[in-house]
Amino acid sequence: MQLNLQTVLSRQMNSNRTVIVTSKQGDIDGDGTKDNVFLTANKTPDSPFWNNISLVIQNGRTNQYEQVPMKNNAGYNPTLFLGDFTGNEGDDILVVIDTGGSGGSIYAYVFSYLNGQLMTIFNSDSFNESFQYDVNYENQYKVKVNSSYLKERYILDLTYKDQEYLSEIYNKDGILKAPIEGWVNPISGLYPVDYNRDGIYELEAYQRIAGRYNADSLGFVQTVLKWNGKAFAPDRQNVAIFGKEILDIE
């Protein structure tokens, strides 16, 4: 939708004025001219919460404005990153918004000009639907994490946990007192990283592994996504665990 910036900023929601939250410059459509990219939103009074977050692009050659809606358009700390994820010689747009939920999850989108049109090439909802896991406590202080999408298994060692934690779950022989299932939270971090130093960014996604309850963090699933010409596909995945303080040097 083409419009002018005054129209964008004059829209009202709950009597709160629409403002520019953040802005950046980059060549979005690959025509060699810098474009202006904005995130606009309505600020909630006396709160860091933003409503009606919108992506607005001003074409540097025509000065025309395009407003891009997002399905999940409310949250905290909306941010912009411009960089080439697709290798199409233009800057793609990464938008990340904190949901404010207890799991620290985010809404995230990547937009790119493909075949002359601005397309959504990544969204966090689709990622969360695809990357599903089974988390089960095992005997001998282990947790098994199965990645359904990639058909991979990770084994976590719980011996770094304190004795009180372990004694609630296991008997003195390391046998589970009762079955326990954990889970993997929705995506909580999405970071652009140029691993190959070739000017094209990959995406590194973080999902937190929870044990008996959400605050019982066991580690993070880290998935590196790479553009394959049609979509972001997993390049590799691993699990990062928390360390234990070394009290005695052996």
Side-chain angles (χ1 to χ4, degrees), residues 107-124:
Y107 302 130
Y109 301 90
V110 177
F111 302 93
S112 178
Y113 264 97
L114 299 174
N115 301 319
Q117 286 189 317
L118 189 67
M119 309 287 291
T120 304
I121 60 173
F122 176 91
N123 76 78
S124 49

Side-chain angles (χ1 to χ4, degrees), residues 39-40 53-55 68-74 95 97 108-109 111:
L39 284 181
T40 67
I53 301 168
S54 296
L55 174 66
V68 184
M70 292 176 286
K71 178 183 176 182
N72 301 299
N73 63 354
V95 177
I97 305 167
Y109 301 90
F111 302 93

Side-chain angles (χ1 to χ4, degrees), residues 81-92 112 199-202:
F81 175 85
L82 305 185
D84 187 2
F85 293 99
T86 60
N88 63 358
E89 299 182 352
D91 286 321
D92 304 310
S112 178
I200 301 174
Y201 288 90
E202 289 76 43

